[in-house]
Amino acid sequence: MGAGRIVLHLDMDAFFAAIEQRDHPELRGRPVIVGHRGRRGVVATCSYEARRFGIRSAMPSVTAERLCPDAVWVRGRHGVYREVSRRVFAMLEEIAPVVERVSIDEAYADLTGVARDFGEAARLAGALRARIRREERLTASAGIAPCRFLAKIASDLDKPDGQVVLTLDRLEELLWPLPVRVIPGVGPKLAERLAGLGIRTVGQLARRTEDELARALGRRTAVFLHRRAHGIDERPIVTGHERKQVSEERTYVDDLHDPEQIRRELRARAEGVARTLRRRGLLGRAVVLKVRDGRYRTVTRTRTLAEPTDLASEIFAVGQELLAGRVDLHGRGVRLLGLGVKDLVSRSHVTPPLFPDEREQRERRIARLADELGERFGRDALRPASLLRPPRRGNPG
Amino acid sequence: MKTIIDQPTLIRELSLLQGIIEKKSTLEALANVVLSAHDGGRVTLIGTDLEVGYKATIPATVEQPGTVAVDARRLHDIVRRMPPGNISFVLDGEALRITMEKIRFRLATHDTEDFPTLPRREGDPTGALDGPVMADMVRRVLFAITTDDPRYSLAGALWNLEEDALELVATDGHRLSLTRRPATRLGDLADGILVPRKALAEIGKLADDQQNEVRFWVENGTLFVTVGDRELSARLQEPKFPDYRKVLEVDNDKVFEIGTADLKAAIERVAVLSTEQSHMIRLDLAPERLVVSSRHHVHGDAVEELAVEYDGEPLEIGFNAQYLLDFLGVAGTEKIRAHLGEPMSQGLFEPVREEGDDRVDRYVVMPMALG
């Protein structure tokens, strides 16, 4: 299972402390500790400035106070952290179909099938980190490797705000000099026993045979250590939940009455939904239209497609048909308009068509180009002419 | 009406009718079968769903001619549970008395006026071929017809009548199956006809008859198929079929032959650990070997190596396992030949037969992107 996998580990840098420093400029550059002060308190996280004093997550607060008496202590705002976490992981989910969150600030993503090779995976990770910096003003570190364990090690190698690709041919250079404690599962006791065998680094561990280790530590531990030291970890990335639907909706301050305006809004929602589908490598089998009229009467209408799609024109066309044929507004305006797709299937799970439709092929090529330009120059770099507002009169050019 | 019918003869006809009659029709009359006893010792059974009609004539002892309409499913259930022997049918007021020795049923009858009339044919047959051959052809294409695609044009199989052969083609847009067999051409089929899935399935069932030839007519947008004393009529679809000749013209250079049963067993085994949504298996072709493998992102992986006569370029390609198994299940030969090309271009598969064999079968499948 290890062969050919590409795993990304994304780790937010000093997450809670970084959010506090972002939201409270007076804290920037200062040692900040998020957590409860006092005898029973522990450090939830701390800024890099505080880490220089030797303060670490989960350290008793009294110890932290002794190490750095001048640190600024901040009570955690967990609602805020959760919200930021949700947004960041949503960005990750846009590029990877399988994402496993291990904590509020850390997740694994399986990029196998998303990126062709490690180079492309690194570019994706770089773009993701740039987006997090741009939209959240926070930094994240990333590790890209053929398995979970190496990805996790890699994300730590150039922290903060760095990323490292750790492939098997770089183990000797990057993994082996590290102490055995970097291997998750090697606690103080096991590290001590290994030290007793003259093994302090992963490299020293790697040079022992499995049998040698087994004689001293038992077969189970030996197998585990031997595999990790050689960069083998077959544990899969497991998504806790699967997305059921991709949709967009807007509520309007003034109810929409103009059919042309409604049509344009529907087209814009279709473009957004299709873009999300393409970014996540998904196709939708059914189109869902949601309409709320001026009197808060809400209807949803669904139609299943012949073939699952990620094309705006198709989603838009079905949305329009549903709106025209199966929604009666009784002459009232539209307060809310939503368009989405459900019954999602990963594009890589579908056999491509034997008789490709020329028009669809062309639209998909253009859409991919627009997606790429959008990632580089912003979302509106390229969009359908029908979504452009007519130029204001008297505004040359 | 008063008639005596042999149980085994009747049950076969009623079973064939079950496939046609709609279980939940909006038109109540369509749940019925019309039973008519005629002078000269014949009974006819008629059923339809308006798209497909079926009429069978069977020998019987007719003491008093007449016609009744009764619920088809219940009549089938009654006759099915009778022991072999003579069953007597007598119209008694508004009910049909069905008796055999000490068994007595009274089944309500319905107005025969409400029952639609089946289309009639007039001219000479368009073509003819051997019954079991037709049944085999249907088996080779039926699975490739879409079951859930609302695109009308793909919901059937295309029939092309050539100089001395009948060709059936079916596709669901991802794979295509073609079969061609010698047939007698008596008329013309211009651009071919598109036979709906359900009609085709029923044709396959009634063609499976050693004694009788299959004859067919195409008149007024309707296909008529007769096999002995059975006749099926099907309303045809507009023949808007994709340009399938193009996808058959593959210039794939990676050609190998392999044992059908071995490959089928390997794919079935390996597919156990394919991803549920994709059913993808991977084929790694190299000189003298073909490796079939799968990987499930949670449950593990599977690999099986097969020996193969091949000395060309290596290839890694992915397929939906079910698509390959569908073909391997009907290939019917000891070996099959695969023609593969690029990882994202269609693969062609065919049964390996002796030279000069006039049977033609082609199966084309699109591969899947390897993760």
Side-chain angles (χ1 to χ4, degrees):
Chain A
M1 276 173 75
R5 276 208 304 163
I6 304 178
V7 175
L8 167 74
H9 181 247
L10 185 76
D11 196 1
M12 298 301 294
D13 300 323
F15 190 50
F16 299 167
I19 292 174
E20 295 306 331
Q21 289 182 321
R22 175 190 76 176
D23 297 346
H24 305 282
E26 70 276 13
L27 298 179
R28 291 180 199 162
R30 299 188 59 186
V32 176
I33 298 173
V34 180
H36 285 280
R37 224 167 171 164
R39 254 168 12 106
R40 292 209 190 132
V42 290
V43 174
T45 191
C46 60
S47 69
Y48 283 91
E49 294 83 358
R51 288 178 197 205
R52 277 200 286 274
F53 292 90
I55 298 169
R56 295 287 177 267
S57 296
M59 176 179 277
S61 295
V62 278
T63 315
E65 284 189 281
R66 200 182 61 235
L67 288 170
C68 181
D70 295 333
V72 183
W73 286 77
V74 182
R75 285 285 189 92
R77 295 178 297 153
H78 292 276
V80 175
Y81 308 153
R82 266 197 301 276
E83 189 52 29
V84 176
S85 167
R86 193 189 57 74
R87 287 198 299 266
V88 167
F89 290 140
M91 292 179 210
L92 177 57
E93 282 177 345
E94 281 187 20
I95 60 165
V98 183
V99 170
E100 179 181 339
R101 301 176 192 193
V102 287
S103 71
I104 195 164
D105 59 356
E106 191 187 343
Y108 291 95
D110 196 336
L111 295 184
T112 320
V114 175
R116 269 180 299 259
D117 51 33
F118 285 100
E120 192 179 344
R123 278 192 296 282
L124 281 172
L128 173 68
R129 289 175 43 244
R131 188 173 168 203
I132 295 169
R133 192 180 313 115
R134 195 169 60 236
E135 295 182 16
E136 295 294 338
R137 290 182 293 130
L138 293 170
T139 63
S141 297
I144 299 121
C147 67
R148 289 174 73 108
F149 157 62
L150 291 179
K152 167 112 182 157
I153 298 278
S155 71
D156 220 32
L157 286 174
D158 193 21
K159 219 170 176 25
D161 198 17
Q163 72 178 48
V164 172
V165 175
L166 179 46
T167 44
L168 294 179
D169 55 337
R170 299 184 73 191
L171 288 190
E172 194 167 350
E173 168 200 353
L174 295 173
L175 175 66
W176 288 6
L178 302 176
V180 287
R181 286 290 302 272
V182 300
I183 300 174
V186 178
K189 278 188 190 155
L190 184 54
E192 208 173 293
R193 287 175 70 192
L194 288 168
L197 300 169
I199 300 170
R200 290 173 202 283
T201 67
V202 182
Q204 288 167 341
L205 186 60
R207 277 184 282 271
R208 301 294 179 95
T209 66
E210 195 184 294
D211 287 340
E212 274 179 77
L213 294 171
R215 276 192 293 277
L217 305 161
R219 182 59 64 178
R220 239 183 111 85
T221 308
V223 169
F224 162 75
L225 290 173
H226 188 258
R227 290 168 73 90
R228 292 293 184 274
H230 287 92
I232 302 166
D233 174 10
E234 294 185 345
R235 291 171 301 160
I237 310 302
V238 188
T239 321
H241 63 286
E242 270 183 42
R243 206 178 238 241
K244 300 264 190 289
Q245 189 166 7
V246 171
S247 60
E248 270 193 14
E249 61 180 50
R250 291 282 187 283
T251 305
Y252 305 98
V253 180
D254 299 311
D255 294 354
L256 304 182
H257 287 276
D258 176 15
E260 181 51 33
Q261 198 184 355
I262 294 172
R263 205 190 67 85
R264 202 161 56 219
E265 284 299 311
L266 206 56
R267 174 85 210 191
R269 296 297 82 75
E271 291 289 338
V273 168
R275 193 165 45 231
T276 304
L277 286 173
R278 285 190 299 269
R279 239 191 327 230
R280 298 167 51 91
L282 294 171
L283 302 167
R285 277 189 193 282
V287 173
V288 185
L289 174 78
K290 180 177 171 187
V291 182
R292 179 174 298 155
D293 68 21
R295 287 198 185 167
Y296 278 96
R297 200 184 60 116
T298 309
V299 292
T300 54
R301 296 285 181 264
T302 304
R303 179 170 301 163
T304 301
L305 305 169
E307 290 281 322
T309 191
D310 61 358
L311 289 180
S313 67
E314 216 165 312
I315 297 166
F316 170 64
V318 176
Q320 270 239 345
E321 275 173 42
L322 289 171
L323 185 62
R326 293 186 45 205
V327 178
D328 187 356
L329 287 165
H330 303 286
R332 292 194 279 267
V334 171
R335 173 167 303 231
L336 175 150
L337 192 61
L339 189 60
V341 294
K342 61 174 193 176
D343 298 343
L344 303 176
V345 52
S346 167
R347 198 186 317 124
S348 61
H349 286 164
V350 174
T351 298
L354 197 49
F355 309 97
D357 183 306
E358 288 291 332
R359 193 193 52 76
E360 276 180 27
Q361 300 272 87
R362 202 165 48 238
E363 185 184 341
R364 188 164 284 115
R365 275 199 303 273
I366 294 170
R368 295 241 167 91
L369 182 67
D371 292 346
E372 270 176 42
L373 290 173
E375 260 159 45
R376 281 163 62 187
F377 304 112
R379 191 160 282 181
D380 295 330
L382 191 62
R383 56 175 173 169
S386 60
L387 288 183
L388 297 175
R389 286 173 194 283
R392 243 178 271 158
R393 208 164 291 177
N395 181 2
Chain B
M1 185 179 93
K2 197 170 180 186
T3 180
I4 295 160
I5 312 172
D6 181 39
Q7 193 265 357
T9 308
L10 184 58
I11 192 64
R12 168 144 168 92
E13 302 311 323
L14 290 171
S15 300
L16 282 167
L17 265 168
Q18 290 305 302
I20 289 159
I21 289 166
E22 286 289 333
K23 310 284 174 291
K24 288 176 203 150
S25 177
T26 44
L27 254 161
E28 267 179 47
L30 297 185
N32 295 335
V33 52
V34 174
L35 214 60
S36 305
H38 305 273
D39 283 325
R42 292 179 303 121
V43 164
T44 57
L45 296 96
I46 296 174
T48 183
D49 70 347
L50 296 181
E51 297 290 326
V52 183
Y54 181 71
K55 178 181 171 184
T57 306
I58 52 174
T61 308
V62 177
E63 291 175 12
Q64 193 186 335
T67 296
V68 295
V70 291
D71 184 83
R73 188 170 63 81
R74 289 187 171 79
L75 179 63
H76 177 251
D77 284 348
I78 290 167
V79 174
R80 190 157 58 97
R81 287 171 170 79
M82 295 269 199
N86 286 329
I87 308 175
S88 156
F89 295 84
V90 178
L91 181 63
D92 176 11
E94 304 237 303
L96 182 66
R97 262 197 292 133
I98 307 168
T99 55
M100 180 195 255
E101 292 165 8
K102 290 176 180 172
I103 308 164
R104 285 191 296 274
F105 282 92
R106 275 164 52 84
L107 186 61
T109 61
H110 302 273
D111 212 339
T112 51
E113 301 293 307
D114 299 338
F115 201 80
T117 48
L118 297 187
R120 286 169 181 275
R121 60 185 161 83
E122 284 160 359
D124 295 325
T126 316
L129 72 162
D130 187 45
V133 168
M134 181 82 229
D136 179 53
M137 291 178 80
V138 170
R139 210 165 48 89
R140 287 172 184 274
V141 298
L142 194 63
F143 62 81
I145 302 176
T146 316
T147 46
D148 57 355
D149 193 336
R151 279 182 304 180
Y152 211 37
S153 65
L154 294 182
L158 187 72
W159 289 31
N160 283 320
L161 187 57
E162 297 174 350
E163 204 49 60
D164 50 5
L166 178 68
E167 183 180 82
L168 266 54
V169 193
T171 180
D172 61 4
H174 304 283
R175 38 82 179 263
L176 175 145
S177 187
L178 175 147
T179 180
R180 190 186 303 139
R181 294 290 182 272
T184 311
R185 176 174 164 154
L186 303 164
D188 202 26
L189 271 191
D191 299 328
I193 54 170
L194 195 62
V195 181
R197 183 190 161 85
K198 180 173 173 177
L200 191 72
E202 295 307 320
I203 291 167
K205 284 187 213 163
L206 81 143
D208 205 0
D209 180 326
Q210 298 290 341
Q211 270 80 49
N212 294 290
E213 190 182 50
V214 172
R215 295 198 289 168
F216 60 92
W217 288 253
V218 178
E219 292 176 5
N220 306 321
T222 305
L223 167 73
F224 298 89
V225 175
T226 66
V227 184
D229 292 323
R230 304 189 175 107
E231 176 171 318
L232 179 141
S233 51
R235 204 195 281 175
L236 295 172
Q237 299 172 358
E238 277 296 307
K240 279 184 299 177
F241 205 74
D243 184 9
Y244 68 94
R245 301 271 175 211
K246 222 165 48 190
V247 303
L248 285 161
E249 287 165 12
V250 289
D251 186 22
N252 289 346
D253 58 338
K254 299 171 184 75
V255 182
F256 62 90
E257 291 181 7
I258 191 163
T260 312
D262 291 346
L263 182 59
K264 182 164 177 277
I267 293 176
E268 280 169 342
R269 265 190 293 272
V270 166
V272 169
L273 288 183
S274 64
T275 305
E276 292 88 346
Q277 296 90 339
S278 71
H279 287 118
M280 186 175 85
I281 51 129
R282 176 192 176 107
L283 301 181
D284 284 85
L285 178 65
E288 305 304 318
R289 70 178 176 87
L290 177 71
V291 179
V292 185
S293 64
S294 67
R295 183 168 78 85
H296 190 286
H297 77 289
V298 174
H299 295 298
D301 50 36
V303 181
E304 182 163 345
E305 194 172 321
L306 297 165
V308 60
E309 294 159 32
Y310 179 72
D311 59 1
E313 289 289 304
L315 172 71
E316 296 169 5
I317 192 166
F319 284 108
N320 178 323
Q322 192 53 53
Y323 285 3
L324 296 187
L325 291 174
D326 283 343
F327 168 71
L328 295 170
V330 299
T333 52
E334 201 179 306
K335 282 184 167 186
I336 60 114
R337 187 179 298 117
H339 304 248
L340 304 178
E342 298 304 311
M344 280 323 289
S345 62
Q346 70 263 38
L348 187 146
F349 300 83
E350 57 178 342
V352 176
R353 297 205 175 93
E354 288 192 8
E355 237 167 87
D357 197 308
D358 52 11
R359 292 171 292 179
V360 175
D361 296 295
R362 297 275 185 277
Y363 187 61
V364 180
V365 202
M366 275 307 283
M368 302 177 85
L370 287 172

